[in-house]
Amino acid sequence: MMQTDFKRTLCLFLAAVTAALPLTLASCSEKAADPSSDTAGGGSGQSQTVSGNQASPEDAPETEAPAPEIDPGLIDELPTDVKYDGEDYVVLSHDHGAAAVAWMVQDIWTEGETGERINDAVFQRNLMMEDRFGVKVAQRLESDPQAVARTAVTTGADEFAILQTTVQNQAANAINGLTLNMARLPHLNFDKGWWDTSATKSLAVGGKVYYAIGDSQLNAKKATWGVLFNKRLVSDAGIPNLYETVKEGSWTIDLLKEYGTSIARDVNGDGTMTWGEDVWGLGLQNEVVLPLLLGTGEKIIDVHDDGTYDYNLGSDANMTAMERIWNFMNTDADYILNANKHSEIASVWVEFRKLFMADQIAFFMGHLGTPTLVAGDMESDFGILPFPKVSAEQEGYYSTFQYNNAHAVSIPKSASDADKTALLTEAYEMFAHTTILPAYYDYTLTLRAARDNESGEMLELIFANRNLDLALAYNSTTSLQSTLENAVTASSFTFASTEAKSKKVLVKAVEKVLTTIAGFED
């Protein structure tokens, strides 16, 4: 259940983690009074006189504070007597360049503390790695880390410890035999709280894990889908508290459409909704069809532990959901500003964000890297919500991420000491749980970007309920994304025929993945 005070939730979270791990953390609360000081107990430190029978301190029963409950998933079980004498733990990742500011890698290495929360948290995580295991975290950023990884594995060069790249790339690495099955390596425990256990289970094949997502991979969180809303536009329209709407379970695409339509305005009065001149109720792109569909909680490809699978794209539940999504995006949709319909605008997403910042888009369906891109220059306040339910009958809220932007980690087959790499990778994610993760929640989104506690609660809800799918991870061969986008851009709802035509390609691709991975000897 979500708390009403996210700051309190965060402090309890840090307290639990601190109890579980012997790490140095900043306190969330005021320092407790020293019982031996004059301020403890409200007096000079001498015993106080009270009416009735009095008991001396010697007669008082001895009591002990109850031991804090420790989540087994947060207990540090790594060895304490292992040192590697200053070796480098090299993480190979992307050099995106200034053009892809949303996806710049922040979570691997930094030269020193600057006062910026994420930067300093990364620095502290790396200090913990060095203090505990005698290794120095180093980053190697390449414009094409995939090519570097392929060459390293082909030549047997032990040039880096782990590869941190997109889920799409990691899926390709897995079926091309470039990475190790992490499930068979010692020390890696994907049931621990610093790993995304749901992602691991969803993307594993027959118990084999070739890539995983941990708390160090901030781009996996930034690439998660959510809804931003402009508080001024929503308030001016008299819309009820949206956070309470979410908590009540009433946040649906029908309600989003109702609210978006009520806010949309033909400001210049020319009878046409125009980019840059009018106020739009909702901004999106065709890609939202996939997170909306997975937002129902249904699977498209459901892989079982034995390596078999169920194909569900043509199920009654998914067919019904797709029809509702098509209607949402196409019927009486003049209030929607669709970025895909404005290819004439250069840097369309930069301009799209400017409209949101200028109070010209009320609701914005996009990735959760967006808040940090608009926070500094946006005068109006904004909030964060999960993707809406496709139907009111849906039990909960679910989300997913952009497979081509979310990062995961893998260990290359060229690793000369895979067991050592596994140990250090577990530590890398474990230490991030008490440094980088709280910094990400507390500063980047809750305090600086979203500017309210309730958005922090929404983030907890979003990240705790991500519905991942094998067909999404292997989209380069399943073509799932284009199949769904073609369905919602059709002039009429014809998804039954679209699904029938695409099924053969999707199933063949999935079966190739499963067969290939089943044939690997680990």
Side-chain angles (χ1 to χ4, degrees):
M1 182 175 66
M2 292 181 291
Q3 304 295 321
T4 58
D5 186 343
F6 176 67
K7 289 291 291 179
R8 178 175 178 273
T9 302
L10 183 65
C11 290
L12 292 173
F13 162 71
L14 288 174
V17 171
T18 305
L21 295 174
L23 306 179
T24 301
L25 292 173
S27 173
C28 282
S29 60
E30 295 295 325
K31 184 178 180 181
D34 183 345
S36 67
S37 71
D38 289 346
T39 59
S44 64
Q46 299 177 3
S47 60
Q48 305 296 304
T49 301
V50 295
S51 60
N53 296 329
Q54 300 180 35
S56 67
E58 290 79 13
D59 296 331
E62 292 185 4
T63 59
E64 292 184 2
E69 293 186 10
I70 299 176
D71 183 346
L74 298 176
I75 295 176
D76 177 356
E77 296 179 295
L78 295 179
T80 58
D81 57 350
V82 175
K83 291 285 186 180
Y84 292 108
D85 301 324
E87 294 181 22
D88 284 343
Y89 175 80
V90 180
V91 182
L92 173 64
S93 193
H94 292 261
D95 183 357
H96 285 294
V101 62
W103 310 114
M104 290 179 65
V105 176
Q106 298 175 278
D107 46 41
I108 300 174
W109 179 87
T110 184
E111 187 173 357
E113 294 180 310
T114 64
E116 198 280 322
R117 282 293 311 274
I118 295 293
N119 177 89
D120 293 358
V122 171
F123 186 75
Q124 288 297 321
R125 189 271 316 276
N126 294 351
L127 278 182
M128 292 173 181
M129 292 283 287
E130 187 170 2
D131 290 345
R132 175 78 170 266
F133 296 105
V135 298
K136 295 182 178 181
V137 176
Q139 67 181 9
R140 178 177 173 181
L141 303 183
E142 299 281 353
S143 59
D144 189 356
Q146 285 291 92
V148 174
R150 283 194 299 270
T151 300
V153 172
T154 302
T155 61
D158 190 8
E159 298 177 355
F160 59 94
I162 60 172
L163 172 62
Q164 178 175 301
T165 184
T166 65
V167 168
Q168 176 177 255
N169 287 343
Q170 297 287 20
N173 293 334
I175 58 176
N176 288 324
L178 300 180
T179 53
L180 294 173
N181 174 14
M182 299 164 74
R184 71 169 180 81
L185 297 176
H187 305 298
L188 287 169
N189 186 343
F190 297 114
D191 290 327
K192 290 292 189 179
W194 38 87
W195 292 105
D196 187 330
T197 302
S198 174
T200 304
K201 290 180 178 178
S202 296
L203 302 177
V205 176
K208 297 179 179 181
V209 178
Y210 289 96
Y211 50 100
I213 299 169
D215 285 340
S216 281
Q217 287 72 62
L218 288 185
N219 276 3
K221 289 183 168 55
K222 291 180 182 179
T224 300
W225 290 93
V227 178
L228 275 61
F229 69 96
N230 182 302
K231 289 187 177 181
R232 187 182 75 78
L233 293 177
V234 165
S235 176
D236 289 350
I239 291 173
N241 187 305
L242 289 169
Y243 299 123
E244 292 302 320
T245 300
V246 170
K247 294 175 186 179
E248 293 165 359
S250 305
W251 179 231
T252 65
I253 56 175
D254 288 342
L255 192 61
L256 172 56
K257 186 169 189 172
E258 176 186 331
Y259 289 162
T261 302
S262 71
I263 293 174
R265 260 188 354 265
D266 178 15
V267 176
N268 61 12
D270 65 356
T272 303
M273 292 295 289
T274 306
W275 178 295
E277 296 182 20
D278 298 321
V279 174
W280 300 82
L282 173 61
L284 50 68
Q285 58 185 309
N286 293 333
E287 192 179 349
V288 301
V289 60
L290 196 149
L292 281 171
L293 183 60
L294 291 180
T296 64
E298 296 290 328
K299 291 285 188 185
I300 294 169
I301 297 294
D302 193 5
V303 181
H304 306 300
D305 291 341
D306 62 0
T308 60
Y309 72 98
D310 294 325
Y311 169 84
N312 300 316
L313 185 58
S315 69
D316 290 343
N318 281 329
M319 282 288 178
T320 299
M322 282 298 297
E323 184 171 12
R324 287 174 173 166
I325 294 168
W326 187 91
N327 285 324
F328 166 69
M329 295 180 65
N330 292 282
T331 304
D332 299 322
D334 289 344
Y335 73 102
I336 294 177
L337 177 60
N338 188 331
N340 292 107
K341 296 180 179 180
H342 291 275
S343 57
E344 79 281 0
I345 296 177
S347 303
V348 64
W349 284 112
V350 174
E351 299 304 316
F352 213 77
R353 289 191 293 268
K354 287 180 180 178
L355 294 183
F356 181 71
M357 290 187 283
D359 300 338
Q360 290 182 280
I361 298 177
F363 295 93
F364 184 176
M365 304 178 88
H367 61 73
L368 291 178
T370 304
T372 58
L373 300 177
V374 304
D377 299 318
M378 186 167 177
E379 184 175 342
S380 298
D381 282 340
F382 64 91
I384 300 172
L385 304 170
F387 255 46
K389 297 178 180 180
V390 170
S391 70
E393 295 76 24
Q394 207 173 294
E395 289 190 6
Y397 301 97
Y398 300 91
S399 187
T400 191
F401 52 46
Q402 295 174 321
Y403 60 91
N404 54 338
N405 285 318
H407 278 188
V409 294
S410 62
I411 298 176
K413 281 195 172 180
S414 54
S416 59
D417 189 340
D419 291 0
K420 178 182 77 174
T421 301
L423 165 62
L424 295 177
T425 301
E426 182 78 2
Y428 182 72
E429 302 298 345
M430 179 180 75
F431 291 138
H433 191 70
T434 54
T435 55
I436 296 175
L437 182 64
Y440 173 77
Y441 269 90
D442 185 37
Y443 180 68
T444 304
L445 291 176
T446 306
L447 297 182
R448 188 181 76 182
R451 307 170 186 171
D452 63 26
N453 293 332
E454 292 88 349
S455 284
E457 298 176 45
M458 297 296 107
L459 289 172
E460 287 188 318
L461 173 66
I462 292 167
F463 293 136
N465 296 282
R466 290 192 294 190
N467 182 22
L468 309 181
D469 200 289
L470 195 76
L472 172 63
Y474 290 89
N475 180 75
S476 59
T477 55
T478 63
S479 300
L480 175 64
Q481 183 74 58
S482 60
T483 297
L484 297 181
E485 288 189 27
N486 289 340
V488 293
T489 55
S491 58
S492 60
F493 181 70
T494 56
F495 186 64
S497 60
T498 301
E499 181 273 330
K501 293 176 183 176
S502 66
K503 180 177 179 178
K504 183 176 181 180
V505 172
L506 197 157
V507 167
K508 182 178 180 180
V510 169
E511 290 182 348
K512 180 180 179 181
V513 169
L514 300 181
T515 302
T516 300
I517 290 178
F520 288 152
E521 294 183 6
D522 292 312

